[in-house]
Amino acid sequence: MAADINALKDWRFSTDQEGIAWAVFDREGERVNTLSRRAIEELGAIVIRAEELAAQGAIKGVVFISGKDSSFVHGADIREFDAFRSEGDVRAALSQATELLARLEKLSVPTVAAIHGMCLGGGLELALACSWRIADRDDATRVGFPEIKLGIFPGFNGTFRSIRQAGPTSAMTMMLTGNMLRTSAAKAMGIIDELAASPANLRWAARKAVLSAKRSKGAGMFQRLMRQWPIRGFLAEQMRKKTKDKVREDHYPAPFRLIDLFERTGGSDKAMAEGETRAFAPLMVSDTARNLRRVFKLSEAMKAQAPKGNFKPQRAHIIGAGTMGADIAAVCVLAGMEVSLQDINDDQLKRAAEQAKALFRKRLKSRTEVDAAMARLLLDGKGDHLPRADVVIEAIVEKLEIKQLLFKNIEGRLKPGAVMATNTSSIMIEKIAEPLTDKGRLIGLHFFNPVPALPLVEVVRGAGSRPEEVAKGCAVVTAIGKYPLVVKSVPGFLVNRVLAPYMMGAMAKLEQGVEREKIDEAAKTFGMPVGPLELADQVGLDICKHVADILGIATGAMEGSKLAGLVAAGKLGKKSGEGFYVWKDGKPEQKTADPPYNTVELHLLGEELVKPLIDECERCRDEKVVESADMVDAGVIFGTGFAPFRGGPLNYRASQGLLIKRSEAA
Ligand code: NAI
């Protein structure tokens, strides 16, 4: 059903003196554009109007452009996805959108997508139905198909249109990885036809494209050949192999169904369009997709904890340039901050600078950017820059008296309003704050190792920490592109507290004689990113033992245990080259089981291994270590990598409960 063209709410449609029709997408009451049901119906009205005007010869072309600051179209509106109850519902919604885009594609006049800001998912599918795509070179402009991260793939016929435009290898990689591309890369691939120097040039470029009736030719002869059999079958097999290296089909079916779709129908646009809807609908209503949407919503809820006020951290001062401090400083620099790094040891400072440079080289495109980043990192042995900082983070040795002394010495030098934080992993915030004049100022910002890779930071609320300081802590965390989790100051906070019984439980299994490889394989079968023994080796066995001691978990860590023996022998895991495993080139040497482990046994063992973790999550929820059950799930997913497709430990247990109830009722 199309909306009334004279009463549009999310779009504006007008024709200028040159006969160019402008369809401006600007969703009412929203910060970003998403394709909601209403926005699609209104787009339907625009397409019908454009057909009429084109038939009358009243327009030369249509430009689709956004009225928002940095959002062309972020994709379909995920908030509406949960309303789909059946595959039939999904197919009905899809056919409305795909028929609409097919009509748009057939318009007799040129259609131009003029892209500034995020052009993702359904937004890119809209752009692909146009006859010409222009994107600006602005850093805020990105194109991509993130659907795979939500357990689905493009469903508005983006599968065949992207392949038709860019060829199967590039388009499938884009859909299978969900990566967002800069516009220069998208242009090189053929997804974008033209680049505009800046947002200011976009309208002019679109006008010119309409007046010169630009139409994209799509992928060349060679790429078209790649869609034919048997090359297609060969490509599909390669894609399957690569995907299997990253995810398991029983956990994440969407990429495998997309590869099947390409393999079976990729030679024909029409067959692929039909096959896309058929394969998409069951994925959309699956538990995996529902749980991945939950993870997305949880991540948004975590980001929303940062206050919208005017606290915008621009300068950070980090004290302690060891394992953690060096990385925290580098991550702050990457987020655009100016950072001063202090340490009592000059060699540590030099090492930290080298480590930061290596990270900048990996993450940044050009030498100029690396140089600029290095210029934002000041080595500050004496702490001269501390009074200028908006946030001060301490990451020195884990000793109460030394931390207390440091904070006492610096407290009076901080500028008013600056955040004062410790990265302690095990000391209570209120203990560190004891000698301070303003005890309510201190909070914890607990980063995880390795800092550049791990997305969560626990914002620790000591018994006396002021709520506004905690809120500012959340702002610091979001400013560096990570997710803040507000936790109470209890031993282990949330993440280490739930991880410890899980890892100790695994070690207890090892004591009972279960093979280490089997234990790790079972946890991965459940959906954990790495097994608990491999994880213990990565974290460092000394740290594991220390955490277990603090939390009073005896099992597995007691005198005479394997863990205690390894620590006493200096076999601390990855960092010393040996722990539960021998480590070579950053990887543990693991034996392949021959014959392979029994799948049912692996499933049962996996369940047994995660049980103590989930039990501890329930206790944390009951003790309100974090605000809500949802925040327990969010923290454990982003802090430990707990099987995202299961929607979090508490969600998983609740869903198991439902299953049992259903089977009892049946
Ligand atoms: P580290 O031993 O690698 O580095 C500590 C650094 O602090 C050294 O460079 C040392 O020279 C410097 N330092 C010591 N006293 C100082 C002072 N008074 N002023 C300035 N610099 C001083 O330690 P790491 O592993 O980086 O840990 C730092 C903090 O982060 C600890 O509180 C630890 O509990 C916490 N943490 C550690 C994690 C890890 O996996 N290593 C994870 C999360 C938190």
Side-chain angles (χ1 to χ4, degrees), residues 158-227:
T159 57
F160 89 77
R161 286 202 181 97
S162 61
I163 289 176
R164 186 181 65 188
Q165 200 60 38
T169 316
S170 307
M172 286 292 285
T173 305
M174 197 172 169
M175 290 187 276
L176 287 169
T177 57
N179 287 345
M180 291 192 279
L181 303 178
R182 286 174 196 274
T183 50
S184 50
K187 164 83 168 56
M189 262 171 70
I191 282 284
I192 295 296
D193 298 296
E194 182 183 336
L195 292 176
S198 75
N201 303 98
L202 203 51
R203 278 180 163 260
W204 183 251
R207 173 188 166 273
K208 261 180 34 192
V210 168
L211 296 180
S212 54
K214 285 269 177 60
R215 278 188 190 274
S216 180
K217 291 196 180 67
M221 184 66 183
F222 176 69
Q223 292 297 340
R224 289 206 295 275
L225 207 65
M226 307 270 273
R227 294 179 65 176

Side-chain angles (χ1 to χ4, degrees), residues 319-325 342-345 348 395-398 403 406 423-425 446-447 449 543:
I319 310 177
T323 311
M324 297 302 286
Q342 178 183 349
D343 201 292
I344 43 173
N345 181 337
Q348 282 288 86
I396 63 170
V397 280
E398 189 73 346
K403 287 197 196 280
L406 178 98
N423 181 44
T424 179
S425 53
H446 181 224
F447 289 78
N449 186 11
I543 293 180

Side-chain angles (χ1 to χ4, degrees), residues 135-328:
D136 63 33
R137 289 179 184 272
D138 195 89
D139 203 40
T141 304
R142 298 286 158 99
V143 299
F145 284 124
E147 286 89 341
I148 214 79
K149 295 179 180 163
L150 293 173
I152 50 177
F153 50 71
F156 295 168
N157 287 169
T159 57
F160 89 77
R161 286 202 181 97
S162 61
I163 289 176
R164 186 181 65 188
Q165 200 60 38
T169 316
S170 307
M172 286 292 285
T173 305
M174 197 172 169
M175 290 187 276
L176 287 169
T177 57
N179 287 345
M180 291 192 279
L181 303 178
R182 286 174 196 274
T183 50
S184 50
K187 164 83 168 56
M189 262 171 70
I191 282 284
I192 295 296
D193 298 296
E194 182 183 336
L195 292 176
S198 75
N201 303 98
L202 203 51
R203 278 180 163 260
W204 183 251
R207 173 188 166 273
K208 261 180 34 192
V210 168
L211 296 180
S212 54
K214 285 269 177 60
R215 278 188 190 274
S216 180
K217 291 196 180 67
M221 184 66 183
F222 176 69
Q223 292 297 340
R224 289 206 295 275
L225 207 65
M226 307 270 273
R227 294 179 65 176
Q228 300 313 314
W229 202 260
I231 306 176
R232 194 169 78 238
F234 172 72
L235 285 181
E237 211 31 65
Q238 275 189 331
M239 291 171 198
R240 218 170 260 131
K241 214 166 142 275
K242 254 194 181 159
T243 309
K244 270 191 190 143
D245 286 344
K246 283 199 234 144
V247 292
R248 298 164 63 115
E249 188 170 350
D250 52 340
H251 295 164
Y252 297 99
F256 296 92
R257 296 298 78 78
L258 175 60
I259 297 168
D260 293 347
L261 173 71
F262 168 66
E263 185 173 42
R264 287 188 198 132
T265 63
S268 142
D269 289 353
K270 186 163 174 290
M272 199 163 185
E274 287 165 6
E276 180 194 276
T277 305
R278 263 199 309 279
F280 181 96
L283 290 174
M284 182 64 145
V285 293
S286 67
D287 284 348
T288 299
R290 188 163 352 95
N291 286 334
L292 292 175
R293 288 200 292 278
R294 174 177 163 73
V295 175
F296 174 77
K297 285 181 204 151
L298 291 175
S299 70
E300 295 284 294
M302 286 172 116
K303 281 192 268 179
Q305 295 176 106
K308 301 270 176 293
N310 47 15
F311 177 71
K312 299 254 179 308
Q314 279 162 355
R315 291 201 176 95
H317 183 79
I318 316 295
I319 310 177
T323 311
M324 297 302 286
D327 273 348
I328 296 171

